[in-house]
Amino acid sequence: QKEVEQNSGPLSVPEGAIASLNCTYSDRGSQSFFWYRQYSGKSPELIMFIYSNGDKEDGRFTAQLNKASQYVSLLIRDSQPSDSATYLCAVKGGSQGNLIFGKGTKLSVKP
Amino acid sequence: DTEVTQTPKHLVMGMTNKKSLKCEQHMGHRAMYWYKQKAKKPPELMFVYSYEKLSINESVPSRFSPECPNSSLLNLHLHALQPEDSALYLCASSQVGPNIQYFGAGTRLSVL
């Protein structure tokens, strides 16, 4: 059974702080890794994707991947109240390329 | 353009009704997906079409019937649904394989 684990939170950080979201996955054959942001009642929105070990930065967001530890994280710098949402970690692998989602971490950024 | 368009945005139907959800993309993607999402849960995969052929059916009840008429369109036909089928139904598309999946805005379905 392929699994993706996330701390459900809620994770509460003050405005301007760094929010750190973590995710582990069970399938060593996983090839690509995604972070989606989902506001309440809305559809998931792609924030970051990463395929290779190491860090990938895009604006205030940094994704980190460690395949040996089967661990992927998302850092949000200078957190804003508008970042308050549920963050879904998703992993894809194999020829079918199906996304396997974690249960999501709810982030709350307090002004 | 990374847009996946879903219609309708909202749908209320009775248990004896027949309705269809529609999804369209023009990104040249050859994989399309239907997901069901209940409140405070992650999206749950229902069906995958790859090159317009059904490649995955995650043991979904037969009251849900998918259709992929061409590479840009994906439908989900609904018949004799139950109140517990009320959820957000999401369509997504991607290139075939472990590639980025883009989601539509979803259809909020209520079954009375």
Side-chain angles (χ1 to χ4, degrees), chain A residues 66-97:
Chain A
N66 184 324
K67 288 187 177 181
S69 300
Q70 294 176 243
Y71 176 91
V72 59
S73 65
L74 179 70
L75 299 178
I76 306 174
R77 290 180 298 282
D78 188 23
S79 295
Q80 301 297 309
S82 58
D83 295 326
S84 298
T86 295
Y87 289 79
L88 295 163
C89 174
V91 173
K92 253 194 181 189
S95 59
Q96 297 283 14

mmCIF file of all heavy atoms in Angstrom, chain A residues 66-97:
data_model
loop_
_atom_site.group_PDB
_atom_site.id
_atom_site.type_symbol
_atom_site.label_atom_id
_atom_site.label_comp_id
_atom_site.label_asym_id
_atom_site.label_seq_id
_atom_site.Cartn_x
_atom_site.Cartn_y
_atom_site.Cartn_z
ATOM 1 N N ASN A 66 14.498 14.560 -0.224
ATOM 2 C CA ASN A 66 15.545 13.624 0.173
ATOM 3 C C ASN A 66 15.005 12.224 -0.104
ATOM 4 O O ASN A 66 14.247 11.672 0.688
ATOM 5 C CB ASN A 66 15.884 13.805 1.659
ATOM 6 C CG ASN A 66 17.032 12.914 2.101
ATOM 7 O OD1 ASN A 66 17.174 11.782 1.634
ATOM 8 N ND2 ASN A 66 17.843 13.397 3.014
ATOM 9 N N LYS A 67 15.400 11.657 -1.235
ATOM 10 C CA LYS A 67 14.861 10.354 -1.636
ATOM 11 C C LYS A 67 15.365 9.231 -0.740
ATOM 12 O O LYS A 67 14.648 8.258 -0.518
ATOM 13 C CB LYS A 67 15.196 10.062 -3.095
ATOM 14 C CG LYS A 67 14.412 10.909 -4.082
ATOM 15 C CD LYS A 67 14.650 10.463 -5.522
ATOM 16 C CE LYS A 67 13.807 11.259 -6.497
ATOM 17 N NZ LYS A 67 14.023 10.805 -7.905
ATOM 18 N N ALA A 68 16.576 9.351 -0.228
ATOM 19 C CA ALA A 68 17.106 8.304 0.649
ATOM 20 C C ALA A 68 16.267 8.191 1.917
ATOM 21 O O ALA A 68 16.000 7.095 2.417
ATOM 22 C CB ALA A 68 18.565 8.604 1.000
ATOM 23 N N SER A 69 15.827 9.325 2.431
ATOM 24 C CA SER A 69 15.002 9.352 3.633
ATOM 25 C C SER A 69 13.510 9.328 3.306
ATOM 26 O O SER A 69 12.678 9.281 4.224
ATOM 27 C CB SER A 69 15.307 10.609 4.470
ATOM 28 O OG SER A 69 16.654 10.613 4.859
ATOM 29 N N GLN A 70 13.169 9.384 2.009
ATOM 30 C CA GLN A 70 11.773 9.377 1.556
ATOM 31 C C GLN A 70 10.995 10.503 2.232
ATOM 32 O O GLN A 70 9.931 10.302 2.837
ATOM 33 C CB GLN A 70 11.144 7.995 1.824
ATOM 34 C CG GLN A 70 11.805 6.914 0.985
ATOM 35 C CD GLN A 70 11.290 5.522 1.281
ATOM 36 O OE1 GLN A 70 12.042 4.655 1.726
ATOM 37 N NE2 GLN A 70 10.035 5.297 1.049
ATOM 38 N N TYR A 71 11.553 11.676 2.057
ATOM 39 C CA TYR A 71 11.069 12.849 2.780
ATOM 40 C C TYR A 71 11.042 14.041 1.839
ATOM 41 O O TYR A 71 11.984 14.269 1.073
ATOM 42 C CB TYR A 71 12.050 13.088 3.928
ATOM 43 C CG TYR A 71 11.819 14.318 4.765
ATOM 44 C CD1 TYR A 71 11.030 14.260 5.902
ATOM 45 C CD2 TYR A 71 12.447 15.522 4.445
ATOM 46 C CE1 TYR A 71 10.853 15.378 6.695
ATOM 47 C CE2 TYR A 71 12.274 16.647 5.222
ATOM 48 C CZ TYR A 71 11.473 16.565 6.350
ATOM 49 O OH TYR A 71 11.299 17.674 7.135
ATOM 50 N N VAL A 72 9.937 14.770 1.874
ATOM 51 C CA VAL A 72 9.835 15.997 1.081
ATOM 52 C C VAL A 72 9.221 17.076 1.965
ATOM 53 O O VAL A 72 8.345 16.786 2.798
ATOM 54 C CB VAL A 72 9.023 15.751 -0.213
ATOM 55 C CG1 VAL A 72 7.631 15.252 0.088
ATOM 56 C CG2 VAL A 72 8.978 16.991 -1.074
ATOM 57 N N SER A 73 9.712 18.286 1.838
ATOM 58 C CA SER A 73 9.199 19.368 2.682
ATOM 59 C C SER A 73 8.949 20.614 1.845
ATOM 60 O O SER A 73 9.428 20.746 0.713
ATOM 61 C CB SER A 73 10.180 19.682 3.809
ATOM 62 O OG SER A 73 11.383 20.192 3.287
ATOM 63 N N LEU A 74 8.178 21.514 2.430
ATOM 64 C CA LEU A 74 7.893 22.815 1.826
ATOM 65 C C LEU A 74 8.137 23.877 2.880
ATOM 66 O O LEU A 74 7.578 23.809 3.974
ATOM 67 C CB LEU A 74 6.446 22.884 1.339
ATOM 68 C CG LEU A 74 6.023 24.216 0.708
ATOM 69 C CD1 LEU A 74 6.702 24.410 -0.649
ATOM 70 C CD2 LEU A 74 4.496 24.278 0.543
ATOM 71 N N LEU A 75 8.994 24.847 2.533
ATOM 72 C CA LEU A 75 9.227 25.987 3.410
ATOM 73 C C LEU A 75 8.562 27.203 2.786
ATOM 74 O O LEU A 75 8.707 27.448 1.584
ATOM 75 C CB LEU A 75 10.718 26.258 3.571
ATOM 76 C CG LEU A 75 11.558 25.137 4.182
ATOM 77 C CD1 LEU A 75 13.032 25.547 4.225
ATOM 78 C CD2 LEU A 75 11.067 24.804 5.573
ATOM 79 N N ILE A 76 7.851 27.962 3.605
ATOM 80 C CA ILE A 76 7.255 29.212 3.152
ATOM 81 C C ILE A 76 7.868 30.325 3.979
ATOM 82 O O ILE A 76 7.681 30.405 5.204
ATOM 83 C CB ILE A 76 5.717 29.209 3.338
ATOM 84 C CG1 ILE A 76 5.084 27.980 2.670
ATOM 85 C CG2 ILE A 76 5.119 30.495 2.765
ATOM 86 C CD1 ILE A 76 3.593 27.841 2.929
ATOM 87 N N ARG A 77 8.646 31.177 3.297
ATOM 88 C CA ARG A 77 9.296 32.293 3.993
ATOM 89 C C ARG A 77 8.369 33.498 4.034
ATOM 90 O O ARG A 77 7.495 33.640 3.165
ATOM 91 C CB ARG A 77 10.596 32.673 3.292
ATOM 92 C CG ARG A 77 11.705 31.651 3.435
ATOM 93 C CD ARG A 77 12.974 32.128 2.700
ATOM 94 N NE ARG A 77 12.729 32.270 1.265
ATOM 95 C CZ ARG A 77 12.679 31.250 0.429
ATOM 96 N NH1 ARG A 77 12.881 30.026 0.868
ATOM 97 N NH2 ARG A 77 12.454 31.455 -0.863
ATOM 98 N N ASP A 78 8.576 34.368 5.037
ATOM 99 C CA ASP A 78 7.779 35.589 5.151
ATOM 100 C C ASP A 78 6.282 35.253 5.013
ATOM 101 O O ASP A 78 5.572 35.809 4.160
ATOM 102 C CB ASP A 78 8.212 36.606 4.093
ATOM 103 C CG ASP A 78 7.555 37.972 4.265
ATOM 104 O OD1 ASP A 78 7.134 38.282 5.393
ATOM 105 O OD2 ASP A 78 7.434 38.708 3.256
ATOM 106 N N SER A 79 5.813 34.342 5.830
ATOM 107 C CA SER A 79 4.428 33.864 5.732
ATOM 108 C C SER A 79 3.439 35.020 5.849
ATOM 109 O O SER A 79 3.614 35.937 6.664
ATOM 110 C CB SER A 79 4.146 32.848 6.848
ATOM 111 O OG SER A 79 4.931 31.699 6.678
ATOM 112 N N GLN A 80 2.402 34.952 5.034
ATOM 113 C CA GLN A 80 1.353 35.962 5.011
ATOM 114 C C GLN A 80 0.011 35.330 5.394
ATOM 115 O O GLN A 80 -0.193 34.130 5.175
ATOM 116 C CB GLN A 80 1.245 36.556 3.605
ATOM 117 C CG GLN A 80 2.524 37.195 3.105
ATOM 118 C CD GLN A 80 2.932 38.396 3.957
ATOM 119 O OE1 GLN A 80 2.127 39.295 4.205
ATOM 120 N NE2 GLN A 80 4.185 38.378 4.426
ATOM 121 N N PRO A 81 -0.907 36.130 5.927
ATOM 122 C CA PRO A 81 -2.242 35.565 6.237
ATOM 123 C C PRO A 81 -2.891 34.894 5.037
ATOM 124 O O PRO A 81 -3.631 33.918 5.195
ATOM 125 C CB PRO A 81 -3.018 36.797 6.704
ATOM 126 C CG PRO A 81 -1.986 37.690 7.309
ATOM 127 C CD PRO A 81 -0.757 37.502 6.441
ATOM 128 N N SER A 82 -2.582 35.388 3.831
ATOM 129 C CA SER A 82 -3.157 34.783 2.620
ATOM 130 C C SER A 82 -2.594 33.391 2.338
ATOM 131 O O SER A 82 -3.122 32.664 1.488
ATOM 132 C CB SER A 82 -2.911 35.681 1.405
ATOM 133 O OG SER A 82 -1.519 35.905 1.232
ATOM 134 N N ASP A 83 -1.530 32.999 3.051
ATOM 135 C CA ASP A 83 -0.992 31.644 2.916
ATOM 136 C C ASP A 83 -1.791 30.636 3.737
ATOM 137 O O ASP A 83 -1.564 29.427 3.629
ATOM 138 C CB ASP A 83 0.471 31.597 3.369
ATOM 139 C CG ASP A 83 1.397 32.410 2.488
ATOM 140 O OD1 ASP A 83 1.155 32.490 1.262
ATOM 141 O OD2 ASP A 83 2.364 33.004 3.024
ATOM 142 N N SER A 84 -2.696 31.114 4.557
ATOM 143 C CA SER A 84 -3.516 30.223 5.386
ATOM 144 C C SER A 84 -4.384 29.356 4.483
ATOM 145 O O SER A 84 -5.224 29.862 3.732
ATOM 146 C CB SER A 84 -4.392 31.042 6.343
ATOM 147 O OG SER A 84 -3.596 31.800 7.229
ATOM 148 N N ALA A 85 -4.157 28.053 4.557
ATOM 149 C CA ALA A 85 -4.829 27.105 3.665
ATOM 150 C C ALA A 85 -4.416 25.708 4.107
ATOM 151 O O ALA A 85 -3.606 25.531 5.025
ATOM 152 C CB ALA A 85 -4.422 27.338 2.207
ATOM 153 N N THR A 86 -4.946 24.709 3.420
ATOM 154 C CA THR A 86 -4.472 23.335 3.599
ATOM 155 C C THR A 86 -3.479 23.027 2.499
ATOM 156 O O THR A 86 -3.727 23.301 1.324
ATOM 157 C CB THR A 86 -5.654 22.345 3.550
ATOM 158 O OG1 THR A 86 -6.513 22.587 4.671
ATOM 159 C CG2 THR A 86 -5.147 20.907 3.625
ATOM 160 N N TYR A 87 -2.337 22.471 2.888
ATOM 161 C CA TYR A 87 -1.280 22.132 1.932
ATOM 162 C C TYR A 87 -1.227 20.613 1.772
ATOM 163 O O TYR A 87 -1.038 19.875 2.741
ATOM 164 C CB TYR A 87 0.068 22.692 2.410
ATOM 165 C CG TYR A 87 0.093 24.198 2.271
ATOM 166 C CD1 TYR A 87 -0.530 25.013 3.210
ATOM 167 C CD2 TYR A 87 0.682 24.802 1.165
ATOM 168 C CE1 TYR A 87 -0.558 26.390 3.068
ATOM 169 C CE2 TYR A 87 0.662 26.180 1.005
ATOM 170 C CZ TYR A 87 0.035 26.969 1.960
ATOM 171 O OH TYR A 87 0.001 28.333 1.803
ATOM 172 N N LEU A 88 -1.425 20.194 0.533
ATOM 173 C CA LEU A 88 -1.455 18.778 0.204
ATOM 174 C C LEU A 88 -0.132 18.363 -0.426
ATOM 175 O O LEU A 88 0.295 18.957 -1.421
ATOM 176 C CB LEU A 88 -2.590 18.482 -0.779
ATOM 177 C CG LEU A 88 -4.012 18.713 -0.273
ATOM 178 C CD1 LEU A 88 -4.991 18.789 -1.439
ATOM 179 C CD2 LEU A 88 -4.435 17.602 0.671
ATOM 180 N N CYS A 89 0.503 17.365 0.162
ATOM 181 C CA CYS A 89 1.675 16.743 -0.436
ATOM 182 C C CYS A 89 1.180 15.619 -1.341
ATOM 183 O O CYS A 89 0.277 14.855 -0.958
ATOM 184 C CB CYS A 89 2.570 16.195 0.664
ATOM 185 S SG CYS A 89 3.985 15.237 0.110
ATOM 186 N N ALA A 90 1.725 15.519 -2.541
ATOM 187 C CA ALA A 90 1.300 14.481 -3.474
ATOM 188 C C ALA A 90 2.520 13.882 -4.153
ATOM 189 O O ALA A 90 3.488 14.589 -4.460
ATOM 190 C CB ALA A 90 0.329 15.045 -4.502
ATOM 191 N N VAL A 91 2.456 12.589 -4.380
ATOM 192 C CA VAL A 91 3.595 11.847 -4.911
ATOM 193 C C VAL A 91 3.118 11.052 -6.120
ATOM 194 O O VAL A 91 2.026 10.475 -6.105
ATOM 195 C CB VAL A 91 4.142 10.905 -3.819
ATOM 196 C CG1 VAL A 91 5.203 9.991 -4.376
ATOM 197 C CG2 VAL A 91 4.692 11.715 -2.655
ATOM 198 N N LYS A 92 3.939 11.026 -7.149
ATOM 199 C CA LYS A 92 3.612 10.266 -8.357
ATOM 200 C C LYS A 92 4.717 9.286 -8.661
ATOM 201 O O LYS A 92 5.904 9.581 -8.481
ATOM 202 C CB LYS A 92 3.490 11.213 -9.548
ATOM 203 C CG LYS A 92 2.086 11.460 -10.048
ATOM 204 C CD LYS A 92 2.117 12.125 -11.403
ATOM 205 C CE LYS A 92 0.702 12.393 -11.894
ATOM 206 N NZ LYS A 92 0.665 12.835 -13.295
ATOM 207 N N GLY A 93 4.331 8.102 -9.169
ATOM 208 C CA GLY A 93 5.361 7.162 -9.536
ATOM 209 C C GLY A 93 4.815 6.132 -10.487
ATOM 210 O O GLY A 93 3.613 5.945 -10.589
ATOM 211 N N GLY A 94 5.655 5.468 -11.219
ATOM 212 C CA GLY A 94 5.220 4.410 -12.096
ATOM 213 C C GLY A 94 4.666 4.926 -13.405
ATOM 214 O O GLY A 94 4.488 6.115 -13.606
ATOM 215 N N SER A 95 4.373 3.999 -14.291
ATOM 216 C CA SER A 95 3.935 4.370 -15.634
ATOM 217 C C SER A 95 2.578 5.034 -15.640
ATOM 218 O O SER A 95 2.270 5.844 -16.503
ATOM 219 C CB SER A 95 3.906 3.136 -16.532
ATOM 220 O OG SER A 95 3.007 2.166 -15.983
ATOM 221 N N GLN A 96 1.719 4.676 -14.675
ATOM 222 C CA GLN A 96 0.390 5.288 -14.640
ATOM 223 C C GLN A 96 0.463 6.732 -14.181
ATOM 224 O O GLN A 96 -0.379 7.540 -14.521
ATOM 225 C CB GLN A 96 -0.536 4.495 -13.697
ATOM 226 C CG GLN A 96 -0.795 3.070 -14.148
ATOM 227 C CD GLN A 96 -1.803 3.014 -15.277
ATOM 228 O OE1 GLN A 96 -2.122 4.017 -15.896
ATOM 229 N NE2 GLN A 96 -2.304 1.844 -15.557
ATOM 230 N N GLY A 97 1.453 7.029 -13.363
ATOM 231 C CA GLY A 97 1.615 8.404 -12.916
ATOM 232 C C GLY A 97 0.502 8.899 -12.039
ATOM 233 O O GLY A 97 0.178 10.085 -12.048
#
